[in-house]
Amino acid sequence: MPKVTYVQSDGTSRTVEATVGRSLMQVAIDHGVDGIVAECGGNAMCATCHVYVDPARLDDLGPLCSDEEEMLDCTASPRAATSRLSCQLPVTEDLDGLVLRLPEEQL
Amino acid sequence: MITLDDDPFADEVLADPVPLHRRLRDAGPVVRLGRYDVWAMARAEEVTQALNDPATFCSSAGVGLSDFRKETPWRPPSLLLEADAPEHDRARHTVTSVLTPKVVKTYRDTFAREAEKLVAALVARGEFDAVADFAEAFPLKVFPDAVGLPAEGREHLLPYGAMVFNGFGPRNHLFTEAMERGAVAREWIAEHCRAENLAPGGLGARIHEAASEFTEEERALLVRSFLSAGVDTTVHALGNAVLCFALYPDQWAALREKPESSRAAFEEVVRFTSPVQTFFRTTTRDVEIGGVRIPAGEKVLLFLAAANRDPRRWPDADTFDITRRAAGHVGFGSGVHACVGQMFARLEGEVLLAELARRVTTIELAGEPRPQLSNTLRGLASLPVRVR
């Protein structure tokens, strides 16, 4: 299973084994990672599973769809070029070693 | 595969649906409901899967028992709820562009001020009906204000909602009574979905602006979705919340200690009580679920409420615990048809419960809670309480 690391805004980090096919949001929830709220349960409606992706790995992720694009304009912490919604990112083997930084606030 | 003869729309089941939900889950991943000749799913995994597969489990044949391909619906179908891709995508996109979390946040201060006023008045009274005076009073003020409806005529919103949500069930006495009671409301609702009757700057007016590619009639139907879906659901969630806190004072104490956790508490209320209990889907092809083959063109009843209390998914599923991480419940649905107003509902629940938690030490029942029977919703008709 690919390993993914979630880094909190205070610098503490958790590396977890991610099940292929689940979303990076679901993986965080499955492992009780704080800092991902995911209010809408993964439907790209709440912008509370915002993450900053390691810029070197952005190309390993699928492209932004229009829903995600719009929702990223609604995040509580500032949007960056590396911003994604973790509910829209399915885990693949290629993501092994991926590091996600979590924003200061989600709500 | 097991066939059950139970009537999920019988009065006594609607008044206390939990035992049937348990039996449905235990009977298997897919169950046959003999009485209505339909299929049912009640486990979290299968319900979620079906909601997230709109190509197989479609909505355009209606999300109630009635099959729109065989019967004429009692009102023009909703462009959102009762539609499939690609038409649904267009309508959905228009509405989400107006209801973004950013827009919802702009209502926070207004809602908080209204919550302060309402709670102060209720605390002064000490004893009140938590349905009429609290759970109905708040959404009936803030939501129509936000949509841009005039102050007069709002009393039509609840009978209209009752008609919509009972209309998803069989033609039982609840259906007939709701249709009779709501008859007068229909015209008012239709009238107030039109651009000229909606205040400028409100959500209704914004829908009309955002939906410029739609016909005038379609734009009105999009606004109608707000009026159908945005009131009764929230009313029931708020009433159920007060009942939960009256029945579980330890949870009220926990919220009192941390009023800032009211948003999570509201989420747990939605999981635990599921104001929207069920929706139907219709299969578009033969599909196999959990070893059971459902043919194409069949109605499938999805028990959202049962999924939200599935012990296969939720530890201590039948325990009301506001510290639980309730995200992932299907109380607002899931997938492309997930409730488009859910961020609004959360804001209403959050500000109102937080205000109540700051002002009220104890909530006690002052009489028997009375359920409000509905073919789709679970909530209360009255809830006499005493607060200190």
Side-chain angles (χ1 to χ4, degrees):
Chain A
M1 262 192 268
K3 288 193 168 57
V4 178
T5 302
Y6 296 85
V7 184
Q8 303 291 338
S9 56
D10 66 3
T12 56
S13 76
R14 280 271 306 278
T15 300
V16 300
E17 298 210 332
T19 307
V20 171
R22 306 261 307 154
S23 71
L24 288 167
M25 175 280 278
Q26 286 167 326
V27 170
I29 300 290
D30 292 346
H31 290 86
V33 173
D34 287 332
I36 300 264
V37 178
E39 272 191 339
C40 80
N43 297 300
M45 293 191 58
C46 67
T48 67
C49 66
H50 178 203
V51 294
Y52 301 112
V53 179
D54 173 2
R57 302 293 299 272
L58 264 182
D59 290 345
D60 294 344
L61 305 166
L64 280 170
C65 71
S66 65
D67 285 349
E68 187 181 353
E69 173 63 44
E70 273 182 16
M71 216 38 70
L72 281 171
D73 284 331
C74 300
T75 54
S77 288
R79 177 179 182 173
T82 58
S83 285
R84 294 297 302 260
L85 287 189
S86 53
C87 74
Q88 300 301 306
L89 304 175
V91 176
T92 61
E93 290 294 348
D94 293 346
L95 296 190
D96 189 42
L98 181 73
V99 177
L100 298 171
R101 279 193 308 115
L102 303 183
E104 236 168 86
E105 41 178 17
Q106 295 280 17
L107 278 168
Chain B
M1 195 250 320
I2 291 180
T3 300
L4 293 183
D5 291 326
D6 296 78
D7 181 359
F9 304 103
D11 285 3
E12 59 279 13
V13 176
L14 295 172
D16 180 17
V18 175
L20 173 64
H21 293 168
R22 193 171 299 138
R23 274 185 291 123
L24 281 165
R25 284 190 306 260
D26 291 346
V30 178
V31 181
R32 187 95 182 130
L33 292 174
R35 201 180 177 101
Y36 296 107
D37 221 15
V38 298
W39 306 80
M41 299 185 200
R43 293 184 184 175
E45 191 181 330
E46 285 76 18
V47 169
T48 312
Q49 208 178 313
L51 290 171
N52 285 302
D53 183 3
T56 307
F57 296 94
C58 83
S59 294
S60 58
V63 296
L65 177 62
S66 158
D67 188 335
F68 290 2
R69 294 162 312 178
K70 299 172 189 158
E71 285 175 73
T72 309
W74 66 271
R75 57 171 201 169
S78 160
L79 300 181
L80 277 174
L81 188 68
E82 295 153 335
D84 291 321
E87 293 80 12
H88 172 259
D89 300 350
R90 234 163 40 103
R92 170 99 186 176
H93 187 79
T94 303
V95 177
T96 48
S97 73
V98 171
L99 284 183
T100 63
K102 211 183 232 171
V103 170
V104 172
K105 270 179 201 163
T106 63
Y107 289 89
R108 174 176 288 275
D109 292 345
T110 315
F111 284 18
R113 263 197 313 276
E114 290 298 334
E116 263 178 55
K117 265 200 266 177
L118 178 65
V119 171
L122 293 176
V123 168
R125 279 170 63 179
E127 237 179 83
F128 56 92
D129 184 342
V131 174
D133 305 330
F134 176 83
E136 291 180 357
F138 188 72
L140 276 178
K141 168 72 180 134
V142 301
F143 191 69
D145 277 358
V147 172
L149 294 176
E152 256 158 60
R154 291 180 181 190
E155 71 277 6
H156 292 306
L157 287 166
L158 289 175
Y160 185 72
M163 190 156 59
V164 170
F165 286 102
N166 280 298
F168 296 130
R171 295 183 177 243
N172 56 12
H173 80 98
L174 294 172
F175 181 104
T176 318
E177 285 158 20
M179 291 293 164
E180 282 167 12
R181 254 199 332 268
V184 208
R186 283 173 74 169
E187 202 182 321
W188 188 88
I189 295 288
E191 225 13 64
H192 288 82
C193 293
R194 296 158 60 91
E196 63 265 32
N197 291 320
L198 292 159
L203 296 170
R206 284 200 233 179
I207 286 288
H208 278 278
E209 283 158 30
S212 54
E213 58 173 308
F214 290 84
T215 66
E216 199 179 327
E217 202 177 323
E218 288 171 332
R219 291 201 292 269
L221 282 181
L222 288 176
V223 175
R224 194 191 67 182
S225 297
F226 282 66
L227 309 185
S228 315
V231 186
D232 297 57
T233 47
T234 322
V235 166
H236 284 321
L238 293 172
N240 292 352
V242 178
L243 180 61
C244 285
F245 287 117
L247 295 178
Y248 307 104
D250 60 319
Q251 294 301 306
W252 183 244
L255 182 59
R256 291 258 309 140
E257 251 170 60
K258 269 178 78 179
E260 67 276 14
S261 66
S262 65
R263 204 169 167 97
F266 183 71
E267 204 70 42
E268 173 66 351
V269 169
V270 176
R271 180 199 72 86
F272 187 70
T273 68
S274 299
V276 178
Q277 294 268 293
T278 49
F279 269 127
F280 283 89
R281 293 290 189 264
T282 306
T283 50
T284 57
R285 60 177 178 92
D286 293 5
V287 57
E288 198 182 302
I289 309 275
V292 179
R293 196 174 143 278
I294 308 177
E298 299 270 307
K299 283 273 171 183
V300 183
L301 182 51
L302 302 178
F303 284 86
L304 312 177
N308 285 344
R309 293 237 204 151
D310 184 351
R312 295 158 194 81
R313 165 68 179 79
W314 304 95
D316 301 317
D318 287 326
T319 304
F320 177 65
D321 174 6
I322 64 164
T323 64
R324 162 199 309 274
R325 200 163 184 170
H329 68 76
V330 291
F332 291 109
S334 184
V336 296
H337 286 284
C339 170
V340 68
Q342 56 179 283
M343 300 306 283
F344 248 100
R346 287 194 178 93
L347 180 63
E348 290 181 50
E350 177 193 350
V351 298
L352 192 53
L353 291 183
E355 186 61 21
L356 199 64
R358 280 191 285 265
R359 304 283 170 237
V360 167
T361 320
T362 57
I363 304 174
E364 287 168 0
L365 294 181
E368 263 313 288
R370 204 155 44 81
Q372 182 173 140
L373 301 187
S374 158
N375 281 330
T376 304
L377 303 179
R378 184 177 182 195
L380 300 164
S382 82
L383 175 61
V385 294
R386 193 177 306 115
V387 300
R388 268 195 299 120

